[in-house]
Amino acid sequence: MFGVGSIDAELMFVGEAPGADEDTQGEPFVGAAGQLLTRIIQAMGLTRQTVYIANILKCRPDTPGQAYGNRKPTPDEMKTCIPYLETQIDLIKPKVMVALGGTATEGLLGLGGIMKLRGNWQTYRGIPVMPTYHPSYLLRNQAPTEKRRVWQDMMQVMEKLGMPISEKQRGYFL
C-alpha cells in the first residue's frame, strides 16, 4: 500500500506499517488508530485529503502462526522499505513530517526512545520532523495529559506550517 492524500500536501504523517484493517482495505490508518488520526487532522483544521499519510513498511509484517494481531517491523524490513518511502517524500515534497510512534521515528531517523524524542524537532533529508506518540498509544492510554502532549506536538506542527491556532485549539485537553 503506497499511501493516501494530496500529492501537494505540506504535511506528511508517517506510521510504521499496515495493520490487519489496513491490509484488508488497502489504505493506511483506517482502523481505530486511523480514525483517531483523522480526528487529530480535523482538529488541526485539515482533512485526510489535504495531508499525506504513509508508512515505513508498505505491506503488513507477516505473523506466522497468528490468526490476528500485528507485530513491530524488524530493522531489516524497515531498511528494505525506506527507499520506497524516500520516493514518496521526493514526490510529495512535504514542508513538515510527523513520525507517528517509536517505530516510525526509529525507521526515519535511526533514533530510539519516543518518550524522550516526542515533541522535539528532528530533521530527515532537510525536512523538519515532529516525533509524537502513535494514535494507538492514545487508545491504550486515555490520560488527558498524554492527549495534551500529542496536541502540543500538533500545535508545533501548525506553527511551523504558519497555520493559525485558535484559542479553542490552544485550550484542548487543558
Side-chain angles (χ1 to χ4, degrees), residues 64-125:
Q66 289 180 235
Y68 60 91
N70 301 313
R71 70 165 173 81
K72 178 181 175 178
T74 66
D76 282 344
E77 288 170 331
M78 289 191 284
K79 184 179 175 183
T80 298
C81 290
I82 283 291
Y84 297 103
L85 180 63
E86 288 174 346
T87 298
Q88 287 177 286
I89 293 167
D90 290 345
L91 290 170
I92 304 301
K93 297 178 180 65
K95 291 183 180 175
V96 175
M97 295 184 352
V98 175
L100 296 167
T103 303
T105 302
E106 181 183 331
L108 274 176
L109 306 171
L111 302 171
I114 189 64
M115 296 298 188
K116 290 182 182 178
L117 292 169
R118 191 226 110 248
N120 296 295
W121 286 107
Q122 305 295 319
T123 303
Y124 181 75
R125 299 175 73 207

Side-chain angles (χ1 to χ4, degrees), residues 13-14 40 98-102 104-105 114 117-120 129-135 137-138 146-147 149-154 157:
F13 290 89
V14 178
I40 291 168
V98 175
L100 296 167
T105 302
I114 189 64
L117 292 169
R118 191 226 110 248
N120 296 295
V129 176
M130 174 56 68
T132 195
Y133 298 143
H134 194 283
Y137 171 78
L138 295 178
E146 297 304 285
K147 292 177 182 180
R149 287 183 177 117
V150 170
W151 186 243
Q152 287 171 329
D153 299 344
M154 294 307 100
V157 168

